[in-house]
Amino acid sequence: MQQPHTGTLAPAPAATTASRVVAQARALPTWVWVAGLTVLAFVLRTHRLGAESFWFDEADIISQAKEPLSTLLTSFTRAGENGPLYTLLLHFWIALVGTREAPVRLLPALFGTATIPVIYYAGKRLLSRELGLVAAALLAVSPFHIWHSQDAKMYTLVVLVTLGSTTLYLQALEKGQARWWAAYVLATWVALFAHSMAVLILAAQLLATPLLWPRAPRDDRAARMAAGQRRRRWAIAVLVLFLPFLPIAWERLYAFLAGNIAGDWHASIPFPDMLGVLFVKFAMNRAPQPWEAAGAWVAGALFVVGLLPWVRAARRSWAVLFILWLAPTVIFWLLTLRVPLFEPRYLIIVLPYYLLFVAAGLLRLGRFGLPVAGAAFVLLVALQVSALVQINYSAQPQKEEWRQAISYVQDHMRLRDVIIVHPGYLKTAVEQYLHETGDVPKVPIATVPYLNTENFGERELVSWLRETISDHERAWIITSPPRTDKEDPEGEVLQFFEGKYWPDPRYYQFDVQEYLGVKIYGYAFNGQPHSWYPKPVYPQQVKFAGGFNFTGSIYEVRGAVKDQVANAGWLPLTLYWRFDQPPTPDQDYIISLRLLDEHNKEWAAYDLPPLNGYRPTTQFGTEPVIDYPDIFIPGNAPPGTYHITLQVWPRCSPDHVCWDPNNPHQHAGQPLTVVSAGAGAQPGDTTVTLVHPLHIIAWQPPK
């Protein structure tokens, strides 16, 4: 008997459901997929766009872009200039949006986003719509491409225009029409002016050309005439393409053969090692282990699988794609044998062709079933997302932290300071973040001469440093350890300040700050070399037990009104000390400062040995010593009149801890008593009040 129909449908098999989903996805218009991937790429490239500080190369190209337009236009004819076109574009861009991180980096992010539809069309042009879409999806989430899309350099522009050049070249060879050749020549000119490494893609295009000529039957005269016309147009296009660059190419070739191109940053690298680095960068950029290695192996395996079809079937499209990936890589490696200059970012131009092979590998796995290809795709993307989360979008700095480093110097800078940048070419990074507003002291920025300059030895360096610090009270030495160590492996600049060139140290370190890629040293000269000795603005004679004397102070406030400072900022305070007799080993003291309001409520504290802990009092002599404590005034400190008190505490010995550096505001034992004093203290006191009050106002943000 036939069972009655209950109206409930049986669930469809999983395979049928998956097939239906795939069928529906394929039925969507291509533009929907490409638009969706482009939007995804834009979101990924603009997320936390301004979170990282500019690193040196970014600051340097921004400095170049600020040059007058006439200067930038002449750079197009300089053989040693990389990316003159991008610098010109950046000139107009920063005039429009300013020089903050996110607006400046939006330009390369837009170039990176625009590459998504171009790689889709390149994949479709070479093989199929599916190859283009998968490659576009891989490029959209590529950590390496996203990294350089968030870098204020020209690399995403180069990827965009070289890939566009290749796509137009394929189109021009097939169609043979003058308009396609004109578009190709224009795109390739843009690529070559965007970065000199674009010539590697041009070389690959020419090497692949024999595989791309349309084949005309011998007995078809009309077809042979059309083929001949295509060749003539090709020859004209190549001639027009090369002519403007012949003088520059000749000059570069001469410099390359003569060894005039500097490449001392890197050692030569074996080809397999270079491939290994590229495969990691192209797959993951950077990530903690084991995710970095896993991502590189997964993407590398898919790349190899993607190579297989053309090897077996000898398809011309696969051969062309292989040449476009391999030829630039091999040519660049051969160049590095002459001039060691390997940097993975220089070969980002072959990233699209690598991803096309990875996409082909995923499509090849699809022949074994959709779940196999889907699992491989999900695994690769999941590993890349881990790289994005842990590196690209990390809350911890991943680039050189010039922003925080220079902000620190700016907060603690005094009027009679000098900034010394070592190596000197880092000055552009310093100037990028050293904002000279009305409240920031304007101090000179000196750049250490290149130490390998002919006839510039130790004597010349010492003479230059002595002249540079003359008439200044302190110096900030701003370095980038990898670069500084490369140029000055013996540390001669720092040895000058550490007393290498005289029996006893004359200068005293008062600060060391280290950030990612940046290290700062502060040195005080206890006066001004070859100049007058600065006296306390507010003299105050106080003698403590043990013959330790406080002789006065200076408020170096930044406002227009004397002795007036804003809250939510630093108060640069200068103190003067002196011993009656050379100190004994037990005279190791801590200087304790307190900022108190009119009701004696404490708002800030400072507890350190002199010079921020870098010069113990046991190292004093009988000469006056200038101390530079900086006190941070919290933003909730109300406007009003404040005063500063000081005490001197024994630091004691390791066996008897009176002061703990990890908890500096707590002391044990007893502070030194005042033996004799004028204003601000009485004999027998342990607390001294600075004679001049301080007026705090509310901080006003700059307009």
Side-chain angles (χ1 to χ4, degrees):
M1 178 182 292
Q2 186 176 1
Q3 298 294 326
H5 181 60
T6 61
T8 303
L9 296 177
T16 304
T17 303
S19 301
R20 188 174 301 161
V21 171
V22 172
Q24 292 174 348
R26 287 180 173 176
L28 286 174
T30 299
W31 69 267
V32 174
W33 285 103
V34 176
L37 290 172
T38 304
V39 170
L40 173 64
F42 179 76
V43 171
L44 292 176
R45 281 153 182 76
T46 54
H47 179 59
R48 291 177 57 83
L49 191 58
E52 290 275 354
S53 164
F54 287 130
W55 68 294
F56 162 69
D57 269 15
E58 291 179 288
D60 193 54
I61 201 167
I62 292 170
S63 176
Q64 294 177 43
K66 292 177 182 177
E67 295 287 339
L69 191 59
S70 58
T71 303
L72 294 177
L73 290 175
T74 58
S75 68
F76 277 77
T77 59
R78 292 192 206 131
E81 192 72 25
N82 278 328
L85 178 62
Y86 177 81
T87 310
L88 180 64
L89 294 175
L90 191 60
H91 172 83
F92 294 106
W93 183 258
I94 62 177
L96 181 66
V97 303
T99 58
R100 295 182 67 86
E101 292 85 356
V104 171
R105 289 175 178 150
L106 182 59
L107 182 63
L110 292 173
F111 290 138
T113 302
T115 311
I116 302 303
V118 178
I119 196 174
Y120 159 74
Y121 187 80
K124 178 185 176 183
R125 182 66 188 71
L126 281 166
L127 183 65
S128 68
R129 167 181 178 267
E130 287 78 10
L131 180 69
L133 286 175
V134 175
L138 293 173
L139 184 63
V141 299
S142 166
F144 190 59
H145 194 258
I146 292 172
W147 179 269
H148 288 287
S149 295
Q150 297 188 327
D151 191 279
K153 296 280 287 180
M154 73 290 294
Y155 297 107
T156 52
L157 172 62
V158 180
V159 173
L160 172 63
V161 291
T162 53
L163 186 59
S165 167
T166 296
T167 306
L168 290 169
Y169 191 60
L170 298 174
Q171 189 77 0
L173 282 171
E174 179 183 341
K175 303 295 183 183
Q177 297 171 349
R179 61 191 178 97
W180 289 111
W181 283 117
Y184 164 70
V185 170
L186 181 61
T188 310
W189 275 350
V190 171
L192 292 172
F193 279 123
H195 199 282
S196 59
M197 287 299 167
V199 74
L200 301 178
I201 294 296
L202 176 58
Q205 294 168 358
L206 297 177
L207 288 172
T209 301
L211 298 170
L212 295 168
W213 287 121
R215 297 178 181 178
R218 291 186 178 182
D219 57 351
D220 190 337
R221 183 179 178 185
R224 285 189 286 111
M225 290 181 64
Q229 187 181 33
R230 284 193 178 95
R231 285 179 170 83
R232 284 192 296 274
R233 287 179 175 173
W234 172 85
I236 292 172
V238 171
L239 183 62
V240 171
L241 177 63
F242 275 104
L243 276 178
F245 294 94
L246 287 178
I248 299 175
W250 170 252
E251 188 175 342
R252 288 211 170 193
L253 179 62
Y254 177 80
F256 178 78
L257 295 176
N260 295 334
I261 299 177
D264 57 351
W265 269 100
H266 308 285
S268 298
I269 183 170
F271 187 69
D273 292 352
M274 190 177 81
L275 281 184
V277 173
L278 289 177
F279 272 45
V280 171
K281 287 292 182 181
F282 286 178
M284 299 289 285
N285 184 36
R286 284 190 292 123
Q289 297 295 1
W291 313 117
E292 182 179 275
W297 278 105
V298 170
L302 291 170
F303 175 85
V304 172
V305 173
L307 288 174
L308 297 177
W310 81 263
V311 172
R312 292 171 50 184
R315 301 184 62 165
R316 287 198 302 167
S317 295
W318 292 113
V320 169
L321 183 57
F322 185 70
I323 292 171
L324 289 169
W325 169 76
L326 184 64
T329 308
V330 172
I331 295 171
F332 180 71
W333 174 69
L334 292 174
L335 292 175
T336 65
L337 297 180
R338 173 70 176 173
V339 180
L341 44 74
F342 171 62
E343 280 285 355
R345 64 180 181 270
Y346 294 157
L347 279 177
I348 194 174
I349 52 176
V350 300
L351 174 65
Y353 311 109
Y354 168 86
L355 292 179
L356 283 165
F357 274 120
V358 174
L362 285 166
L363 294 177
R364 182 73 174 172
L365 289 182
R367 299 184 180 184
F368 299 97
L370 181 63
V372 176
F377 180 79
V378 170
L379 175 60
L380 176 58
V381 171
L383 290 168
Q384 291 180 327
V385 168
S386 76
L388 291 175
V389 171
Q390 298 178 82
I391 301 296
N392 294 57
Y393 306 141
S394 172
Q396 300 300 319
Q398 302 296 315
K399 296 182 178 182
E400 295 169 1
E401 190 47 75
W402 287 98
R403 181 170 54 196
Q404 288 188 22
I406 303 307
S407 176
Y408 180 87
V409 173
Q410 190 164 274
D411 283 340
H412 298 273
M413 208 157 53
R414 312 280 181 110
L415 280 170
R416 291 182 290 275
D417 289 355
V418 60
I419 293 175
I420 298 176
V421 185
H422 182 37
Y425 59 78
L426 297 173
K427 183 180 180 182
T428 54
V430 175
E431 291 178 327
Q432 174 65 30
Y433 288 107
L434 193 64
H435 304 297
E436 292 190 354
T437 63
D439 290 340
V440 176
K442 291 178 173 58
V443 304
I445 303 176
T447 56
V448 176
Y450 183 53
L451 298 187
N452 290 332
T453 302
E454 187 176 357
N455 298 323
F456 189 84
E458 181 181 283
R459 182 174 61 183
E460 288 76 17
L461 174 63
V462 171
S463 176
W464 181 88
L465 287 168
R466 284 177 174 168
E467 182 179 351
T468 299
I469 66 173
S470 292
D471 302 326
H472 296 286
E473 201 169 328
R474 307 189 311 174
W476 297 93
I477 319 300
I478 302 179
T479 71
S480 180
R483 297 181 176 89
T484 306
D485 294 346
K486 187 77 176 179
E487 182 164 324
D488 186 10
E490 302 299 323
E492 293 185 53
V493 171
L494 289 181
Q495 288 186 45
F496 169 85
F497 294 97
E498 295 292 344
K500 175 184 177 181
Y501 303 100
W502 37 77
D504 300 315
R506 301 183 184 181
Y507 309 144
Y508 304 99
Q509 191 174 87
F510 68 87
D511 207 347
V512 176
Q513 297 293 325
E514 191 163 5
Y515 303 86
L516 183 62
V518 187
K519 194 167 185 178
I520 298 167
Y521 303 86
Y523 286 93
F525 309 140
N526 208 39
Q528 296 185 59
H530 312 119
S531 185
W532 58 282
Y533 186 87
K535 299 293 185 180
V537 174
Y538 306 116
Q540 188 172 1
Q541 298 294 328
V542 178
K543 178 177 287 189
F544 291 93
F548 192 44
N549 298 274
F550 171 65
T551 61
S553 62
I554 299 174
Y555 299 146
E556 193 166 305
V557 299
R558 295 185 174 181
V561 180
K562 184 179 180 181
D563 304 332
Q564 180 175 289
V565 63
N567 59 14
W570 292 91
L571 167 64
L573 182 62
T574 304
L575 305 178
Y576 288 74
W577 304 98
R578 184 178 58 80
F579 273 100
D580 290 335
Q581 300 291 332
T584 59
D586 63 346
Q587 291 183 295
D588 194 358
Y589 300 142
I590 302 297
I591 310 303
S592 180
L593 303 171
R594 297 293 183 266
L595 178 68
L596 306 177
D597 64 14
E598 296 172 291
H599 306 290
N600 287 327
K601 179 181 177 180
E602 180 181 309
W603 287 94
Y606 175 98
D607 295 87
L608 278 175
L611 282 98
N612 297 322
Y614 289 94
R615 191 182 180 195
T617 52
T618 52
Q619 294 181 7
F620 283 24
T622 56
E623 78 285 356
V625 174
I626 308 176
D627 186 15
Y628 302 95
D630 292 336
I631 301 175
F632 185 78
I633 304 172
N636 60 342
T641 301
Y642 289 70
H643 57 275
I644 296 174
T645 65
L646 68 84
Q647 292 180 317
V648 179
W649 292 77
R651 187 173 182 176
C652 297
S653 65
D655 298 329
H656 180 204
V657 178
C658 299
W659 175 79
D660 182 1
N662 297 318
N663 194 8
H665 301 320
Q666 293 187 5
H667 304 275
Q670 295 294 324
L672 299 187
T673 57
V674 174
V675 175
S676 64
Q682 296 293 327
D685 289 348
T686 59
T687 300
V688 176
T689 301
L690 299 194
V691 293
H692 207 80
L694 180 71
H695 304 287
I696 293 180
I697 62 173
W699 178 76
Q700 296 293 327
K703 297 181 180 180

